[in-house]
Amino acid sequence: MIRYPNGKVYTPASPKEKARTVKESTYSNRGMTLEEDLNESNQYYLSHDIAVVHKKPTPVQIVNVDYPKRSAAVIKEAYFKQASTTDYNGVYRGKYLDFEAKETKNKTSFPLQNFHEHQIHHMKQVVKQQGIAFVILMFTAAEEIYLLKAEDLFPYWEKMKQDGRKSIPKKDVEEKGFLIRYGFHPRIDYIKIIDKLYF
Amino acid sequence: MIRYPNGKVYTPASPKEKARTVKESTYSNRGMTLEEDLNESNQYYLSHDIAVVHKKPTPVQIVNVDYPKRSAAVIKEAYFKQASTTDYNGVYRGKYLDFEAKETKNKTSFPLQNFHEHQIHHMKQVVKQQGIAFVILMFTAAEEIYLLKAEDLFPYWEKMKQDGRKSIPKKDVEEKGFLIRYGFHPRIDYIKIIDKLYF
């Protein structure tokens, strides 16, 4: 078992996520990742009865499990599977929330390759079902975090398929999205924006 | 890789789930588990734009991953973690849905040990947040499936802590719960009950 200096057990996620984590710890001297910040924020919402939002576990295809006597089952062979939904969902004032959080080092635009077709498809299904779907986009160089409604992301996705532009210009994110100021507790207060937009 | 006779890849879940699956295939000649029936029903709801409900992946603590050249990452050591929420959640007509599905071979009562304290706690948080929380209870001998609102489960949980009765009498489930008739498509049409109860 590998541990962080603070004693927390190291959990490698998918190789892609792993690469991202490495990138993140260079960009940011806070030593926190966007994911950790969101987990902290969700924990804050939970403990203050503001919202119930959880990150879904990383989907894993388990192939081989060992059941040693008198100790816990050990997974000996497994593979990362592609998720069929976004990473986060939950409930706020009765309404269903669903989102994905991504970051980029790019300074002038947000690359759409951060998303997968099935995630866009899932968010479309959520919107059709009158759920609240959005993305949290972080520009790591500027340390700016935006909330963009899924409805405002879809046109860029469709346009990419037509004219091939593979990113959203940062000025469009600034215009259509909502800046989330980085706070102390919760660190990323996205519910404040949701509250303004939908209630 | 181990495959079922129908060609589907075998995915062992937790040892407990594994044991349950074995039990299930003996009790039922349909050869389907409650989980598979619910997955089929959720797939039906999804493809017919009725609701978006997914089962969460089994949470796994990954300890060691191998990254072989030119092939997929292999998880070499991992452990089953206890989930902090229920297994299923999603959206129906904008509202947040959250539930757990359990079965028993017991003929006269439903054992409460099928649930964990943290699941009950999670459902209480969901209800506080005005989400729709419930359990799907299957009596395998009678082949009866009931939907019971989480609010109607909580008192039995509390009572268990006081007087130690560790199950819900079947007649109480019949009285307070709602029978879900087993169908063809979807197999377990729980949304029909949700629609009547909450909309």
Side-chain angles (χ1 to χ4, degrees), chain A:
Chain A
M1 203 177 279
I2 308 164
R3 287 181 186 275
Y4 285 111
N6 66 8
K8 255 174 61 183
V9 173
Y10 167 61
T11 314
S14 70
K16 206 188 291 167
E17 279 183 333
K18 202 184 178 185
R20 197 182 62 191
T21 309
V22 172
K23 264 188 277 162
E24 279 163 3
S25 39
T26 19
Y27 91 74
S28 165
N29 293 321
R30 289 180 294 117
M32 292 294 282
T33 65
L34 178 59
E35 182 181 325
E36 284 175 310
D37 283 344
L38 283 168
N39 288 347
E40 186 275 345
S41 304
N42 291 335
Q43 195 47 55
Y44 176 90
Y45 292 144
L46 194 63
S47 60
H48 289 74
D49 289 336
I50 294 167
V52 181
V53 179
H54 289 274
K55 185 175 189 290
K56 292 192 180 181
T58 305
V60 156
Q61 172 83 23
I62 298 164
V63 174
N64 185 17
V65 185
D66 212 30
Y67 299 94
K69 273 178 200 164
R70 279 182 294 275
S71 61
V74 189
I75 299 162
K76 287 289 191 189
E77 186 187 355
Y79 298 90
F80 295 105
K81 272 198 301 191
Q82 197 169 54
S84 49
T85 64
T86 51
D87 272 358
Y88 299 88
N89 74 359
V91 55
Y92 173 61
R93 295 171 65 181
K95 291 277 270 173
Y96 176 80
L97 298 186
D98 194 296
F99 66 97
E100 187 65 36
K102 295 290 183 191
E103 58 201 70
T104 185
K105 291 174 94 166
N106 202 310
K107 288 175 188 178
T108 55
S109 66
F110 203 94
L112 288 163
Q113 80 221 23
N114 275 297
F115 300 98
H116 300 287
E117 180 70 43
H118 66 273
Q119 292 178 319
I120 302 288
H121 183 65
H122 170 72
M123 286 191 277
K124 283 184 180 173
Q125 289 173 317
V126 168
V127 168
K128 234 192 248 174
Q129 206 45 244
Q130 301 157 60
I132 297 171
F134 56 94
V135 290
I136 289 178
L137 306 179
M138 182 174 194
F139 290 92
T140 57
E143 297 219 345
E144 284 173 10
I145 303 171
Y146 293 88
L147 185 152
L148 184 70
K149 284 176 158 190
E151 292 92 323
D152 289 326
L153 172 66
F154 301 154
Y156 291 95
W157 191 263
E158 300 314 322
K159 241 183 99 203
M160 175 177 68
K161 291 189 195 163
Q162 285 159 25
D163 69 12
R165 162 137 209 176
K166 290 194 175 66
S167 64
I168 317 174
K170 184 163 188 273
K171 65 165 183 39
D172 290 20
V173 175
E174 289 166 6
E175 234 177 78
K176 292 174 186 167
F178 299 85
L179 186 69
I180 310 175
R181 278 182 205 295
Y182 200 82
F184 178 59
H185 242 17
R187 293 211 189 96
I188 301 175
D189 194 2
Y190 63 88
I191 287 288
K192 201 197 239 171
I193 313 273
I194 293 301
D195 200 62
K196 267 191 228 162
L197 289 175
Y198 296 93
F199 290 88

Side-chain angles (χ1 to χ4, degrees), chain B residues 5-65:
Chain B
N6 65 8
K8 259 175 57 184
V9 172
Y10 167 62
T11 314
S14 70
K16 205 189 289 167
E17 279 182 335
K18 202 183 177 184
R20 196 182 63 189
T21 309
V22 172
K23 265 188 276 164
E24 280 164 1
S25 40
T26 19
Y27 90 74
S28 165
N29 293 321
R30 290 179 295 117
M32 293 294 284
T33 64
L34 179 58
E35 183 182 324
E36 284 176 310
D37 283 343
L38 283 169
N39 288 349
E40 185 276 345
S41 305
N42 290 336
Q43 193 49 52
Y44 176 90
Y45 292 144
L46 194 61
S47 59
H48 290 73
D49 289 336
I50 295 167
V52 181
V53 178
H54 289 274
K55 184 174 190 291
K56 292 192 181 183
T58 306
V60 155
Q61 173 82 21
I62 298 165
V63 174
N64 185 16
V65 185

Side-chain angles (χ1 to χ4, degrees), chain B residues 128-164:
Chain B
K128 232 192 248 174
Q129 205 47 242
Q130 301 157 58
I132 297 171
F134 56 95
V135 290
I136 289 178
L137 306 178
M138 181 173 192
F139 291 92
T140 59
E143 297 219 344
E144 285 173 9
I145 303 170
Y146 293 89
L147 185 151
L148 184 70
K149 284 176 159 192
E151 293 92 322
D152 290 326
L153 172 66
F154 300 153
Y156 291 95
W157 190 263
E158 300 314 321
K159 241 183 98 201
M160 175 178 68
K161 290 187 195 165
Q162 285 161 26
D163 69 13

